[in-house]
Each structure stands twice: as C-alpha cells, then as structure tokens.
C-alpha cells in the first residue's frame, strides 16, 4: 500500500478506535485511492487525506420532548458537517435507535464523495438522532422534530447546510422540521431543508428519486453487457421508500422484483411485484407495521421464508441490497458468489462489510457496483429541489426525471472512464471512489490549506 495512505489510515484508526462503521468506510475509500495518490505527490504536502478524514465540524446536542402521556424524553441529536469544498453541506437526517456518532460520521464521509460524484455544487454532511419514530403518534413525532430543529436551526441554512431525509425521516418529519425552521428564522428560506412536500416547495420526483436513480444506473450496467431490464428478475432487501421506488421503476421497464426481504424474513413472488395493487399494498403494509412483510405472502398467495435473508437465491439476475448498512457479511457474500448471479448492485449506504465486498469484487463472473454511486439519485433530486427553491419555480416531473437520468448516466460513465484511465479495467467500485475523491481534492487544493 502507498505509505502516505497507510500512515493516514493507521492514524485514523488510532484516533477513532471506538467508531467501527466510520473506520470501515475510511478503509474502503482510502485503500482504493492508490493510483491517484501515486500520481499526485503534492497531496501529501498539503495534508489532503488527513484533512479529508476529519469532519469540518461535528455538532452534538440534546433533544428533549414530551410524549402523549406527558412524560419527558431526552435523545441525542447529531449533525456532522463533513466537507463543504464543493458547496453547502448536504445530506440526510436518520432517526433510528442505532444512530451514534460512528454511524453519522460514516454516512457523512460517504456522502461527501457521493455528492461530489453528482457533479452538482454540494458538500457532504449527515445528521440524525437515536430517536425511534416507530410506534409514536403524529403529535409525538411533531414535538420531537420541533425540538430537534430548535437546536439545529442555528447551524443550517440554504447557503450553509441543507438536511434531508434518510431512514426514519421522511416527508412528514421534514415537513415538521421545515415548519419549525421557518417559524424560528421568520423567513420562507425553502432551500434550508429538502425532501419537503410539494405543497411547501418540495420537488416532484424526490420520493422516487433514489429508487429510480438506482434503476437508471442498473440500466447502464446492463447496456454495457449488451442487454436491458426486460425479463430480468431482481432480489432486493428493504421495501422502504428506496425499495419501493425500485419495484415501481423495474416493473415499468419490463423487469420484475421477485424477492424482497424485511426485518421478519423474505417474500418470494415469482410473478414479481408488478401491479398497482401490489405496490399500493406494500405502502399500506409498511404504514401499518414496518417490521413485518409476511402479510404480503398471505394477501397474494406466495411464499414467505421467516427469519432469513434472500441472499444466495439462484433464480434471479440481479441482487440489490437496499435496506441498511452491513446487511451482507462474508457468510452471505459466499452464498451470493456461489449462486452464479452476475450483478451485485449496492443501493443502501454501505450494505456490504469490507471483507464481503472484497470477496464479491474478486469474483470473475460478477459485476459489483457501489452504493455511493448507485443511490446518488436521491441527493441529486434534493439538490434540484434547492435549485427550484432558489429560482422560486417548480419544474415538471418529466424535467426532473430527465435530469436525474442524465446525472446517473454521467456518474456511471465517469466511474468507468476513470477506472480505465488508471488501468484498473471495468471496476465500478474503485472508479466511483476515484471520481468523488478527485472532485473534492481539486476543490480543496484550490481553496488553500485550512
Ligand atoms: N439520505 C439520502 C442519502 O443517503 C439523501 C440525502 C439528501 O437528499 O440530502 O443520500
């Protein structure tokens, strides 16, 4: 390994020993940068990697809120403003009991490169809280969101930092946060939060953007192999906003999602989730109880396998892990590699452990695509929302969708091109890291050392 990379990696490990998710992504990214670091010795002198791994700012705060029984709760809130060399900090807010500083730092670090890859003027950030919105009433969620933003508002703004949604934080939560933000600052500063409802300045296509974008990326991968989505069978995990968007777009383009997994097990529907009735039912099922997908099997007369993941099934063409981080570990990766399935397209942020990813990338028969590139459609349409807000205009769904398609195509092409330029062959994982890194590096070098 390049000595400069090794030194920074070791120092980062020593300094952040209790942050495993953060170290996982730093290791994954840094170890793929060798060709570009070798080609640019000036980066070491400018302490570029040391600066890149250190967030520009970490904000941690108390969130106190009252439940419906008049009992008080205290949660911890975070915003990690990672890197604004390319534009205002941009990235989602995650509400989940698993949230801690390591997870928010890993997401913020990844977001920096993802946002860079979109080619849009946005920096990287991530935030969230260990609050669990599941099982909470609307009024409780509203009070929590108001308390959260009452602390965070002083650190965000349309030219400073624009949070959006992520796991556990959708249109409803963004609506409550935007309302409270507007009340505090006394201005309709719409670009301060994205993922808003269209009625309060949101963009058409934002809810669908991550899932649709992932499918547009997949289409490019298939095109490279002289094929398309028609008749392709896909296995996904997660049927949240992103998984649902994938199901819808895949059905529209003639493919089918034949497996999907939830927290309680997986569904096998050989006909595919391809009708409006099925897609609507998934929304209904998720709203009623997000922890169980078993009712789908009962309703549509198909198979449900309790307590299992669908990784390793053979009768599909593509796997798309779309749930959360580290869904696929080494054991699952071995099953995936043995299944003979060619395409492994990451969608959720860091769904694969590093050892599992290395194993999959080493398979000669497989094409592996990284989440940083594949799921960038969500944040891209968030940025298009900021652009519409700045213009005080709404764009049509067709216009947003066309732009999204173009962005996903550019991300794919740039990754292929840079990997080839550095002699790495058709390597979508390294290509994405190199594209994102180069954009951030150029901007940081141009802005002086600080
Ligand atoms: N949370 C999403 C992501 O991981 C979206 C972020 C945004 O729209 O700012 O990219």
């Amino acid at each position: 390994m390049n000595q400069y990379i090794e030194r920074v990696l070791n120092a980062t490990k020593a300094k952040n020993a209790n942050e495993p998710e953060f170290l996982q992504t730093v290791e994954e990214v840094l170890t793929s940068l060798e060709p570009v670091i070798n080609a640019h010795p000036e980066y070491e002198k400018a302490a570029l990697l040391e600066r890149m791994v250190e967030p520009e700012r970490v904000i941690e705060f108390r969130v106190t809120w009252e439940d419906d029984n008049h009992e008080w709760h205290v949660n911890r809130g975070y915003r990690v403003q990672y890197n604004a060399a390319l534009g205002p900090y941009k990235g989602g807010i995650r509400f989940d009991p698993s949230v801690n500083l390591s997870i928010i730092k890993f997401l913020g670090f990844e977001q920096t490169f993802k946002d860079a890859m979109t080619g849009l003027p946005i920096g990287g950030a991530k935030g969230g809280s260990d609050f669990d919105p599941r099982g909470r009433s609307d009024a409780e969620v509203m009070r929590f969101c108001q308390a959260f933003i009452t602390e965070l508002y002083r650190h965000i703004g349309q030219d400073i930092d624009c949070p959006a949604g992520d796991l556990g934080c959708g249109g409803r939560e963004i609506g409550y946060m935007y309302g409270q933000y507007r009340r505090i600052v006394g201005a309709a500063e719409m670009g301060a939060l994205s993922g808003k409802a269209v009625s309060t300045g949101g963009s058409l296509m934002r809810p669908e953007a991550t899932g649709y974008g992932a499918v547009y990326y997949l289409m490019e991968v298939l095109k490279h192999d002289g094929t398309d989505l028609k008749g392709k069978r896909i296995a996904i995990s997660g049927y949240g906003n992103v998984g649902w968007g994938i199901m819808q777009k895949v059905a529209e383009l003639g493919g089918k999602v034949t497996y999907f997994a939830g927290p309680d097990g997986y569904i096998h529907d050989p006909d595919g989730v391809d009708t409006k009735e099925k897609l609507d039912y998934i929304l209904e099922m998720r709203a009623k109880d997000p922890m169980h997908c078993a009712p789908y099997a009962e309703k549509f007369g198909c198979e449900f396998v309790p307590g299992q993941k669908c990784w390793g099934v053979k009768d599909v063409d593509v796997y798309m892990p779309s749930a959360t981080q580290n869904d696929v570990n080494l054991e699952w990766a071995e099953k995936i590699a043995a299944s003979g399935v060619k395409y492994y397209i990451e969608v959720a942020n860091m769904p694969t452990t590093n050892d599992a990813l290395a194993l999959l990338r080493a398979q000669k028969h497989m094409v592996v695509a990284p989440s940083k590139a594949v799921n960038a459609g969500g944040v891209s349409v968030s940025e298009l929302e900021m652009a519409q807000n700045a213009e005080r205009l709404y764009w049509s769904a067709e216009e947003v969708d066309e732009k999204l398609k173009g962005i996903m195509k550019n991300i794919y092409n740039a990754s292929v091109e840079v990997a080839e330029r550095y002699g790495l062959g058709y390597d979508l994982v390294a290509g994405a890291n190199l594209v994102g890194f180069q954009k951030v590096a150029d901007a940081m070098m141009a802005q002086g050392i600080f």
Side-chain angles (χ1 to χ4, degrees), residues 46-66:
L48 187 74
L49 291 180
E50 292 88 327
R51 292 190 288 136
M52 261 189 199
V53 296
E54 198 64 33
E56 289 181 5
R57 194 168 301 102
V58 173
I59 301 152
E60 191 179 304
F61 50 97
R62 184 177 74 208
V63 188
T64 311
W65 58 282
E66 191 184 21

Side-chain angles (χ1 to χ4, degrees), residues 95-166:
F95 292 149
D96 191 82
S98 66
V99 163
N100 57 36
L101 188 57
S102 171
I103 290 194
I104 300 298
K105 277 175 70 179
F106 118 62
L107 290 163
F109 185 75
E110 292 244 306
Q111 195 82 36
T112 300
F113 300 106
K114 180 197 311 194
D115 293 4
M117 240 183 305
T118 66
L120 301 166
I122 38 177
K126 202 82 183 195
S129 172
D130 55 1
F131 169 71
D132 189 354
R134 282 171 293 205
R136 290 290 173 193
S137 69
D138 258 359
E140 289 174 323
V141 170
M142 182 177 77
R143 285 195 293 276
F144 173 82
C145 289
Q146 289 176 339
F148 184 88
I149 218 68
T150 301
E151 273 311 310
L152 190 61
Y153 88 92
R154 71 197 81 232
H155 303 289
I156 64 173
Q158 59 196 5
D159 297 320
I160 304 167
D161 181 358
C162 173
D166 195 78

Side-chain angles (χ1 to χ4, degrees), residues 90-93 111 114-115 126 162-166 194 206 210 349 375 378-379 382:
K90 181 88 199 80
I93 298 268
Q111 195 82 36
K114 180 197 311 194
D115 293 4
K126 202 82 183 195
C162 173
D166 195 78
S194 68
R206 176 63 190 91
T210 312
N349 290 313
N375 77 23
V379 75
S382 267

Side-chain angles (χ1 to χ4, degrees), residues 86 112-114 116-117 431-441:
L86 287 169
T112 300
F113 300 106
K114 180 197 311 194
M117 240 183 305
N433 284 342
L434 290 166
V435 171
F437 172 83
Q438 195 62 67
K439 285 189 197 280
V440 180

